[in-house]
């Protein structure tokens, strides 16, 4: 099967060009094929941009064990609609993904029901370092250095030292300092309002923990990815680090929401790390634009509206985002905050390189045909009722965005087109070559 994408503005690794892309057998066969090239299908992309599929390296898709919130099928439909062609899922499911056996189970579930490509982290506990050291078929190790949803937490220094010393897979972590969070919780008598969430999980909790984790990584010369940076202080700190071992990421909600939004949105914007201030939003946009922060990912963490309606602190932390993250960033392009090239670097190319993915993240010959057509002129309003995520809500409900994905291909197969999802499509297991050396080693 040969497909020819014609007349698109194609976002290539070295810039945007109006050219053609030829796909053969699910891979990109050539760029700028001669006009006489024959194909089984010609896709006219006039007026649209063709970009590599988004790779979301931080999602919580809740299967197994928490499937009343989301499952790998519903979540993957949301991905396909949002232009996300590959995801890396977190280990705080039920049971936790903390052994190779659990990892294999999740991979098998995804093979049966995910419309897009999939990968799963292995979670660290204070005592599973042997499993972490022996694991394969995974992008890397996730550590909760600071508790969040679920019971995965590694806070003791000795256990953290062992994980960084005795494993070789890249590590990422949720960084919020447990002692700071506990002291704040006590001072505020557990918290009485949703807004107290940002007083409990405050700026200090974030920067103390991020510094601690980066210190571990640098001393052990271990590759380390800082998940969901939420403060200006962390961005300032990351800007001082040498290139080589450390990468970081930011989520759309930490860019677009701040503590002023609690009044309107309540627990819908309660997540970990908490949202901070408008000044933090501005610093994070800047750090993303100038490359201090390399990756944009969502931390998609669905909970039902009933669960969210509980008073604080019973209300769970987390929000769904995979089907709107690309549009939120395209809107930022139309507002002049970022370039489209920068968005593609942060959402497609950088996550592929951070996690040593084989054949992903770029429109280049030989790469997999995970592709998204975007219409930079389309204006559309996010509506809860139209969300594919099982929890059927979005914190951006009612927000009109300028710039949307309109069609998605996974391995050359259209999974979302003309507003229709192809439920019969299946993604494939993401492959990693950890000898590639990560983001800083590859260009
Ligand atoms: O708000 C959050 N929710 N942050 C996390 O780190 C976990 C997530 C979840 O799984 O609900």
């Amino acid at each position: 099967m040969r497909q020819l994408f014609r007349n698109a503005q194609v976002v290539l690794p070295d810039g945007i060009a109006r050219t053609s892309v030829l796909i053969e057998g699910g891979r990109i066969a050539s760029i700028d094929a001669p006009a006489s090239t024959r194909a089984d299908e010609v896709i006219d992309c006039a007026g649209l941009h063709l970009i590599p599929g988004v790779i979301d390296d931080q999602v919580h898709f809740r299967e197994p064990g928490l499937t009343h919130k989301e499952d790998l099928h519903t979540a993957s439909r949301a991905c396909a609609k949002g232009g996300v062609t590959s995801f890396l899922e977190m280990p705080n499911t039920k049971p936790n993904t903390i052994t190779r056996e659990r990892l294999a189970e999740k991979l098998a579930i995804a093979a049966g029901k995910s419309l897009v490509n999939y990968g799963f982290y292995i979670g660290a506990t204070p005592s599973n370092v042997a499993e972490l050291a022996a694991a394969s078929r995974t992008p890397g190790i996730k550590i909760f250095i600071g508790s969040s949803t679920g019971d995965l937490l590694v806070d003791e220094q000795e256990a953290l030292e062992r994980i960084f010393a005795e494993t070789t897979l890249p590590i990422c972590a949720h960084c919020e300092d447990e002692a700071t969070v506990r002291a704040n919780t006590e001072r505020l008598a557990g918290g009485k309002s949703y807004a107290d969430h940002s007083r409990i999980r405050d700026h200090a909790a974030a920067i103390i923990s991020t510094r601690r984790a980066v210190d571990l990584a640098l001393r052990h010369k271990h590759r380390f990815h800082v998940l969901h940076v939420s403060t200006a202080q962390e961005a300032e700190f990351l800007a001082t680090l040498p290139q080589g071992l450390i990468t970081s990421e930011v989520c759309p909600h930490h860019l677009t929401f701040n503590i002023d939004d609690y009044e309107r949105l309540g627990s819908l914007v309660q997540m970990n790390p908490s949202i901070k201030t408008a000044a933090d939003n501005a610093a994070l946009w800047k750090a993303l634009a100038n490359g201090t922060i390399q990756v944009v990912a969502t931390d998609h963490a669905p909970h039902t509206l009933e669960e969210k309606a509980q008073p604080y602190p019973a209300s769970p932390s987390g929000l769904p985002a995979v089907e709107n993250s690309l549009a939120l960033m395209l809107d930022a392009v139309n507002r002049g905050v970022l370039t489209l090239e920068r968005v593609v670097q942060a959402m497609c190319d950088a996550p592929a390189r951070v996690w040593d993915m084989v054949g992903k993240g770029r429109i280049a010959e030989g790469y997999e045909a995970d592709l998204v057509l975007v219409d930079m002129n389309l204006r559309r309003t996010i509506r809860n009722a139209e969300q594919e995520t099982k929890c059927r809500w979005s914190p951006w409900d009612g927000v009109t965005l300028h710039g949307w994905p309109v069609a998605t291909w996974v391995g050359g197969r259209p999974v979302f087109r003309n507003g229709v999802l192809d439920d019969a499509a299946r993604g494939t297991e993401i492959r990693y070559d950890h000898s590639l050396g990560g983001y800083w080693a590859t260009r």
Side-chain angles (χ1 to χ4, degrees):
M1 171 83 167
R2 282 155 70 91
Q3 297 139 287
L4 185 62
F5 291 77
R6 263 220 196 108
N7 298 322
Q9 296 286 345
V10 184
V11 183
L12 298 165
D14 53 0
I16 299 179
R18 191 186 168 91
T19 184
S20 66
V21 177
L22 181 68
I23 307 301
E24 196 161 3
R27 288 186 177 274
I28 297 169
S30 67
I31 315 281
D32 206 17
S36 58
T37 302
R38 294 237 185 122
D40 302 294
E41 184 190 6
V42 175
I43 299 137
D44 184 38
C45 311
L48 302 174
H49 285 78
L50 187 67
I51 69 168
V54 169
I55 299 170
D56 193 330
D57 81 355
Q58 193 191 175
V59 300
H60 302 265
F61 284 172
R62 309 303 193 200
E63 187 166 4
L66 299 159
T67 52
H68 67 287
K69 299 176 196 274
E70 188 79 282
D71 64 55
L72 288 167
H73 186 67
T74 53
S76 72
R77 284 172 57 91
C79 284
K81 186 175 160 203
V84 177
T85 54
S86 298
F87 65 79
L88 297 179
E89 208 257 358
M90 287 295 164
N92 58 333
T93 41
K94 269 193 177 164
N96 291 319
T97 319
I98 53 176
T99 63
R100 284 164 288 170
E101 200 184 333
R102 298 284 184 232
L103 197 57
E105 282 166 14
K106 261 194 182 175
L107 286 162
I109 299 171
K113 56 164 73 165
S114 177
L115 275 64
V116 301
N117 307 315
Y118 46 86
F120 299 93
Y121 294 95
I122 186 161
T125 74
S127 57
N128 74 340
V129 70
E131 280 291 330
L132 303 178
S136 59
R137 298 177 72 190
T138 183
I141 297 164
K142 163 73 181 282
I143 316 179
F144 283 89
I145 310 177
S147 55
S148 189
T149 305
D151 58 5
L152 281 175
L153 171 67
V154 186
D155 189 36
E156 308 80 12
Q157 191 65 20
E158 200 188 323
L160 289 168
E161 298 280 353
R162 276 196 69 193
I163 294 167
F164 277 85
E166 296 175 27
T167 67
T168 55
L169 286 169
I171 296 176
C172 62
H174 178 119
C175 299
E176 282 185 296
D177 185 55
E178 203 51 22
T180 306
V181 170
R182 274 198 213 122
N184 288 338
T185 306
E186 225 164 89
R187 186 170 49 82
L188 292 163
K192 293 187 176 29
S193 67
Y194 301 125
D196 276 347
H197 193 66
S198 290
R199 300 183 185 106
I200 288 172
R201 292 178 177 262
D202 62 2
H203 286 78
I207 184 67
I208 290 170
S209 185
T210 293
R211 279 182 180 277
R212 179 186 185 198
V214 167
D215 170 66
L216 276 157
L218 293 179
R219 277 192 290 107
H220 289 283
K221 299 189 172 39
H222 204 121
R223 275 166 56 193
F224 180 66
H225 184 65
V226 185
L227 298 167
H228 43 41
V229 174
S230 65
T231 65
Q233 289 96 322
E234 287 168 289
E236 268 165 41
F237 169 60
L238 291 165
T240 66
L241 298 177
Q243 297 184 350
L245 292 173
I246 311 296
T247 50
S248 60
E249 81 187 31
V250 66
C251 302
H253 50 262
H254 289 127
L255 293 166
T256 61
F257 293 126
N258 59 59
I259 49 175
D260 298 337
D261 292 303
Y262 279 121
E263 202 177 322
R264 190 171 55 90
L265 293 166
S267 67
L268 301 187
V269 288
Q270 177 194 326
M271 83 283 298
N272 305 332
S274 68
I275 48 171
K276 305 293 191 305
T277 67
D280 293 291
N281 296 147
L284 294 172
W285 278 117
K286 192 170 153 213
L288 174 61
N290 71 21
T292 297
I293 293 175
Q294 294 77 30
V295 172
V296 171
T298 61
D299 195 10
H300 179 93
H303 300 283
T304 66
L305 281 175
E306 291 70 32
E307 291 165 336
K308 278 291 204 182
Q310 297 168 86
Y312 194 80
S315 47
S317 295
L319 52 79
V322 281
E323 62 203 279
N324 300 307
S325 57
L326 176 57
L328 284 158
M329 302 313 287
L330 297 178
D331 184 75
V333 171
N334 274 323
R335 286 187 287 110
V337 181
L338 295 173
T339 63
L340 180 58
E341 292 95 319
R342 183 75 200 112
V343 168
V344 167
Q345 282 166 5
M347 300 189 88
C348 315
D349 186 63
R353 285 165 44 208
V354 168
W355 299 108
D356 302 320
M357 291 180 191
V358 177
K360 294 212 180 291
R362 292 177 181 199
I363 299 183
E365 281 176 22
Y367 276 66
E368 287 162 27
D370 298 334
L371 300 168
V372 177
L373 270 179
V374 305
D375 183 348
M376 292 304 293
N377 295 316
L378 185 63
R379 283 190 168 79
R380 190 187 292 149
T381 304
I382 297 175
R383 300 275 178 221
N384 282 350
E386 293 167 14
Q387 301 303 296
E388 292 294 336
T389 176
K390 197 183 270 186
C391 69
R392 296 258 177 226
W393 61 273
S394 164
W396 293 281
D397 176 56
V399 173
T400 300
L401 299 176
H402 184 189
W404 280 89
V406 292
T408 306
W409 284 258
V410 173
R413 176 168 174 160
V415 296
F416 175 67
R417 214 171 174 183
N418 303 322
V420 179
L421 287 157
D422 178 0
D423 260 331
R426 293 292 172 265
T428 54
E429 179 177 342
I430 297 167
R431 288 177 302 129
Y432 319 92
D433 175 359
H434 289 303
S435 72
L436 289 172
Y439 180 86
W440 297 111
T442 50
R443 272 286 158 202

